Amino acid sequence: MTIAAPAIVVDDLHVSRAGSPVLHGVSFEVPAGSVYALLGGNGAGKSTTLLTLLGFLQPSGGSARVLEHNVAADTAAVRQSVAYLPEAATLYPHLSAYENLDYFLDLAGAGVDQGAVDATLDRVALQAEARGRRMETYSKGMRQKVAIALALLRDTPVLLLDEPTSGLDPVAIDEFNALVRSLSDEGRTVLMVTHDVYGACQVADRIGLLRRGRMVGTFDAPEGARIDTETVHSAFTGRSAA
Amino acid sequence: MNAAIRIAREEWRQWRRSRLAVAALTIFGVLLIVTSVLTAGDMLDARQDRLHQQAHAEATFLDQPARHPHRMVHYGHYVFRAPAPLAVFDPGVDAVTGQSVFLEGHRQNGAMFADARAQARAGGFGDLSPAALYHLFLPLLLIAIGHAVILREREARTLGPLLSQGVTGRQLYAGKSLALLAMIGLLSVPALIASLSAIPMGEPVSTALGLYAGQLLYLCVWGALIVLVSAIVRSRGVALGLLLLVWFVTALIIPRIGVTAVGTSLPADGKIVSDMRMKEDIRKAGDGHNAADPAFAQLRANMLAEYGVDTVEELPVNFRGVVASTAEARLTDTLNDYAEQRMARERAQSDGLSAFGWLSPYIAVGAASRALAGTDLATHHRFLREAEGVRFDFVQGLNAVHAEQLAYSDDINRSSDPQAERRTRVDPKNWKVLRDFRFTPDTADVRIARAADSLLALTVWLFALIGLGLWAARRMSP
Ligand SMILES: Nc1ncnc2c1ncn2[C@@H]1O[C@H](COP(=O)(O)OP(=O)(O)OP(=O)(O)O)[C@@H](O)[C@H]1O
Ligand SMILES: [Mg+2]
């Protein structure tokens, strides 16, 4: 694959939460149209990184840019070009999948027709009979699928996904990974956060390993192949605990 | 703005689908309607009754047969304070002050309860007026419905997607506020109906709408507080606890503290002590029934000198009537002094309590509401003053008849001479000295001026909370 200009550039990023430092100088780049998996243990700072990219947290040092926009200064422009899937998204339980999507897309100013909505829900494999039901009757994985569909329907050049496969069954995970690959093929940039080594290796062009707020390793997919699971797995778990 | 409206509409959909919101609204709506209807009925009946009783008392007085005028001074008369039209919403002090006064010579009687129903209102149920419901309980309903408006988004992790897709914190905050404002608008409809229904009874439009606006302002203060707490607190339990604490402190604790503080800073003389001092002062003024009382020696000397005669028998007027009139005037001066002192004290206490409105919107709205409705203490005091005016005028009118139409010799001999006694009875047409009395509330300007401070306090509260809200909205994050 050809190396395009980076869609996301994180440079020596320092972020504190509630007064204590969480990110200690994180740097990485996500080439446009590629899939980047940010891998790390609980509390490593993965979600913090995404929240900083969205402008919800202010860097105390360093910088981050999304499509050339500084995330701290040009927040509105960044948010315009990014779809964000939060950790453990549930959307509104009293609304159906259709109603939820309609509401969020309406607020996002994205005019989307019913056909596109159904096509995307097909893509995430949400059963048709459930789509008009209130989401409080959904399983965890079904809710996650709707949240993913929402991120896709935003039709933005960049997607920030926080643990998108949590709650999905193995079949759904495989389908999701295929989906992410196809997004990349469409030229969209995906930065996803995960603990799932196998999934990350399956889908990512590049994996960054985050430990206690520091980037401790980067793994690139060889031309025409996937990243080796064993290597990443031992890097993730092998050395002293995170 | 469009985003805010969309968010507000979504909030309403959530409420419509929430059993809690629907149940709370239904219960409250029923309570509000029942209370409004009962209070309105009560107040309309009371108004009718008292107007009727007033007319009846006047007719009875005028119907009295020929009598000695001083007997009519003691026969006495009643005046009634008909409730203000807006009492249908806020009966105010009506339930605790008494609404009628028995007027007679030589005394100022306190206000009494006009009827059994008025008496009953003073006990527990009298308090559950629409105003009480609005001031005390509606905030609780708003808290129940509104405390999670923004918190829910945070909990459901929808705040991140919302804010990350171009909805600004301010739009979200405005949308949620708008939703709650619409709820407040809906909940205030009964207050609006009650206020408007007073207009056909003679209520000026400005005070009727002013009363409604006061309620709206108060509810908006609560709405602004609720959205603010929902935006900055991160747990439902804490938000609910905090809001209930604010309710408890502003609606129950501060009023309690206010009453105590005002009571100790302005000690009211014990009633018995001041009554005794007043009796002493009255004794010094002389007994008007006894023309020989040394207190009137100077008066006698002055009158004899003025008319150039040697004895009171030779005076062209009945000296006993003159004494009665002079004594009444002196006594009334003394009584008025004491009454004014007492009322000034009561006013100071009530004004002192109103000042606590800067600490508690509950106190502010209560004071504003009573002032606008014309059911506050100041209005009651005016009733007492006007009643006293009626009393003084008819007593002095009768004393003038006594002085001018009765011969002194007949007057002093009437207990021994039946002929003289008959001549001291004057024609009933003289009873017309009694003037008609219809108590009306203060003009709109006066009432609005009296409510201004409290309304200002509420406005300051509202703007302070909106200011904090703008600040909180700007730094809103998931
Ligand atoms: N709201 C918060 N306030 C203060 N500190 C926080 C907050 N959220 C997270 N942290 C701290 O920041 C650090 C990084 O948290 P973060 O959520 O980024 O981890 P993560 O890599 O996403 O972990 P996980 O895999 O469990 O989601 C942790 O030490 C955590 O305690
Ligand atoms: Mg996380």
Side-chain angles (χ1 to χ4, degrees):
Chain A
M1 114 182 209
T2 56
I3 299 299
I8 301 173
V9 181
V10 175
D11 183 24
D12 192 28
L13 192 64
H14 291 259
V15 176
S16 294
R17 300 188 78 169
S20 41
V22 172
L23 300 184
H24 312 268
V26 171
S27 302
F28 65 94
E29 287 185 1
V30 183
S34 73
V35 178
Y36 190 105
L38 198 54
L39 197 63
N42 294 126
K46 305 182 296 296
S47 299
T48 301
T49 306
L50 293 194
L51 291 174
T52 309
L53 289 176
L54 287 160
F56 291 130
L57 296 172
Q58 291 298 313
S60 53
S63 67
R65 306 177 74 79
V66 174
L67 299 180
E68 300 297 311
H69 302 294
N70 185 312
V71 298
D74 219 353
T75 313
V78 171
R79 291 182 184 172
Q80 207 62 54
S81 48
V82 165
Y84 167 55
L85 172 72
E87 209 170 358
T90 55
L91 304 185
Y92 296 111
H94 65 281
L95 300 184
S96 70
Y98 284 141
E99 288 168 336
N100 264 297
L101 294 174
D102 176 59
Y103 176 58
F104 280 97
L105 294 169
D106 193 14
L107 281 180
V112 176
D113 61 71
Q114 188 62 32
V117 168
D118 272 317
T120 308
L121 288 174
D122 287 342
R123 245 175 130 181
V124 298
L126 182 76
Q127 25 318 23
E129 60 78 20
R131 295 174 190 178
R133 266 201 271 135
R134 290 193 192 186
M135 281 182 64
E136 62 202 1
T137 65
Y138 284 20
S139 72
K140 186 174 173 214
M142 288 161 74
R143 282 197 289 269
Q144 186 72 5
K145 287 175 177 178
V146 181
I148 294 167
L150 174 60
L152 298 179
L153 281 161
R154 284 286 310 288
D155 201 21
T156 51
V158 177
L159 290 96
L160 303 182
L161 312 176
D162 199 340
E163 296 182 29
T165 55
S166 99
L168 299 187
D169 63 44
V171 176
I173 290 179
D174 280 347
E175 284 170 358
F176 174 78
N177 288 338
L179 177 68
V180 170
R181 288 300 331 153
S182 69
L183 292 176
S184 164
D185 294 342
E186 290 166 17
R188 301 217 242 170
T189 308
V190 179
L191 170 59
M192 59 183 267
V193 156
T194 181
H195 317 116
D196 173 16
V197 177
Y198 173 77
C201 293
Q202 225 189 346
V203 72
D205 297 307
R206 182 180 286 174
I207 292 176
L209 186 55
L210 199 61
R211 179 174 298 154
R212 287 185 177 173
R214 290 192 171 82
M215 197 61 94
V216 294
T218 308
F219 307 89
D220 279 305
E223 191 64 47
R226 306 262 39 108
I227 300 171
D228 178 51
T229 312
E230 271 313 305
T231 318
V232 178
H233 191 263
S234 58
F236 190 3
T237 61
R239 280 162 245 183
S240 59
Chain B
M1 202 56 220
N2 268 342
I5 290 170
R6 184 73 165 91
I7 289 166
R9 272 184 26 220
E10 195 49 50
E11 194 61 33
W12 269 81
R13 177 152 66 171
Q14 199 277 331
W15 282 330
R16 276 203 310 275
R17 292 188 183 182
S18 145
R19 280 205 199 101
L20 174 79
V22 171
L25 262 178
T26 311
I27 292 170
F28 208 81
V30 169
L31 200 60
L32 210 51
I33 290 165
V34 168
T35 313
S36 300
V37 169
L38 289 181
T39 308
D42 239 28
M43 281 294 131
L44 292 177
D45 280 358
R47 191 177 158 79
Q48 223 43 52
D49 270 11
R50 293 181 207 166
L51 289 174
H52 176 77
Q53 282 175 298
Q54 186 67 66
H56 182 71
E58 279 155 10
T60 309
F61 190 92
L62 297 180
D63 278 354
Q64 293 305 302
R67 279 195 178 145
H68 188 285
H70 200 73
R71 281 196 59 197
M72 285 306 284
V73 167
H74 284 283
Y75 181 78
H77 176 53
Y78 280 96
V79 286
F80 295 86
R81 171 161 58 76
L86 283 173
V88 297
F89 180 77
D90 191 346
V93 297
D94 199 72
V96 290
T97 52
Q99 313 80 18
S100 62
V101 181
F102 179 60
L103 308 177
E104 57 182 327
H106 331 319
R107 300 171 57 95
Q108 284 182 354
N109 295 309
M112 299 169 297
F113 287 95
D115 50 41
R117 186 175 35 233
Q119 192 99 53
R121 294 184 51 79
F125 283 112
D127 287 335
L128 203 63
S129 63
L133 218 51
Y134 268 94
H135 302 166
L136 199 55
F137 296 114
L138 219 122
L140 290 178
L141 177 67
L142 289 176
I143 290 172
I145 293 179
H147 72 280
V149 279
I150 293 177
L151 251 170
R152 199 181 332 102
E153 306 276 355
R154 203 184 283 289
E155 281 176 352
R157 308 266 178 168
T158 43
L159 203 50
L162 278 177
L163 294 175
S164 70
Q165 60 174 29
V167 175
T168 65
R170 289 205 169 161
Q171 282 172 329
L172 183 72
Y173 201 93
K176 298 298 184 177
S177 303
L178 201 61
L180 211 53
L181 183 66
M183 180 59 82
I184 287 169
L186 177 72
L187 288 168
S188 70
V189 168
L192 181 62
I193 293 174
S195 300
L196 294 180
S197 72
I199 293 175
M201 288 188 273
E203 185 62 37
V205 175
S206 58
T207 39
L209 290 182
L211 181 69
Y212 171 68
Q215 314 307 314
L216 215 50
L217 194 57
Y218 173 67
L219 296 178
C220 286
V221 168
W222 270 104
L225 177 71
I226 290 167
V227 179
L228 178 66
V229 168
S230 192
I232 58 184
V233 169
R234 280 164 190 262
S235 127
R236 238 173 233 253
V238 174
L240 210 51
L242 190 63
L243 287 167
L244 288 177
L245 184 71
V246 173
W247 176 82
F248 193 72
V249 168
T250 56
L252 300 177
I253 303 290
I254 294 181
R256 199 57 238 146
I257 292 174
V259 168
T260 311
V262 165
T264 47
S265 71
L266 298 161
D269 268 349
K271 181 162 166 36
I272 296 179
V273 176
S274 77
D275 274 6
M276 272 167 36
R277 208 176 308 134
M278 183 173 77
K279 289 230 169 70
E280 182 52 39
D281 286 351
I282 290 170
R283 235 191 316 278
K284 283 190 213 134
D287 176 5
H289 296 107
N290 179 9
D293 191 314
F296 306 112
Q298 187 64 46
L299 172 71
R300 178 198 310 256
N302 289 351
M303 285 198 68
L304 294 180
E306 187 186 331
Y307 289 99
V309 293
D310 296 326
T311 61
V312 290
E313 283 83 352
E314 296 167 82
L315 286 170
V317 292
N318 177 355
F319 185 62
R320 294 187 89 173
V322 175
V323 165
S325 172
T326 307
E328 193 69 38
R330 287 184 193 170
L331 171 105
T332 301
D333 272 351
T334 307
L335 290 174
N336 282 352
D337 277 353
Y338 278 91
E340 286 300 336
Q341 279 171 27
R342 182 176 46 74
M343 289 192 279
R345 218 158 40 225
E346 288 175 3
R347 261 311 278 281
Q349 294 195 340
S350 125
D351 288 352
L353 192 59
S354 298
F356 277 81
W358 292 96
L359 293 180
S360 157
Y362 171 77
I363 293 178
V365 74
S369 170
R370 286 189 296 274
L372 288 166
T375 57
D376 58 349
L377 189 67
T379 305
H380 179 63
H381 282 167
R382 192 168 56 78
F383 166 67
L384 295 179
R385 287 194 190 95
E386 287 183 10
E388 169 54 25
V390 171
R391 186 197 76 83
F392 186 71
D393 287 355
F394 93 78
V395 169
Q396 291 301 62
L398 291 167
N399 282 336
V401 171
H402 190 174
E404 289 157 16
Q405 299 187 21
L406 268 60
Y408 181 72
S409 54
D410 288 340
D411 210 14
I412 54 172
N413 291 323
R414 69 188 148 104
S415 44
S416 53
D417 177 357
Q419 293 297 320
E421 198 277 335
R422 212 161 30 75
R423 282 194 298 275
T424 62
R425 297 185 186 194
V426 300
D427 190 274
K429 73 174 190 306
N430 287 296
W431 307 158
K432 292 220 171 69
V433 294
L434 182 75
R435 64 179 148 93
D436 283 354
F437 178 76
R438 297 289 177 272
F439 185 72
T440 52
D442 288 303
T443 61
D445 291 354
V446 170
R447 282 188 272 159
I448 290 169
R450 216 149 53 210
D453 266 3
S454 303
L455 291 174
L456 180 67
L458 287 174
T459 310
V460 169
W461 270 92
L462 181 61
F463 278 100
L465 288 167
I466 289 176
L468 286 174
L470 288 174
W471 164 80
R474 227 182 30 180
R475 52 189 290 282
M476 185 129 59
S477 72

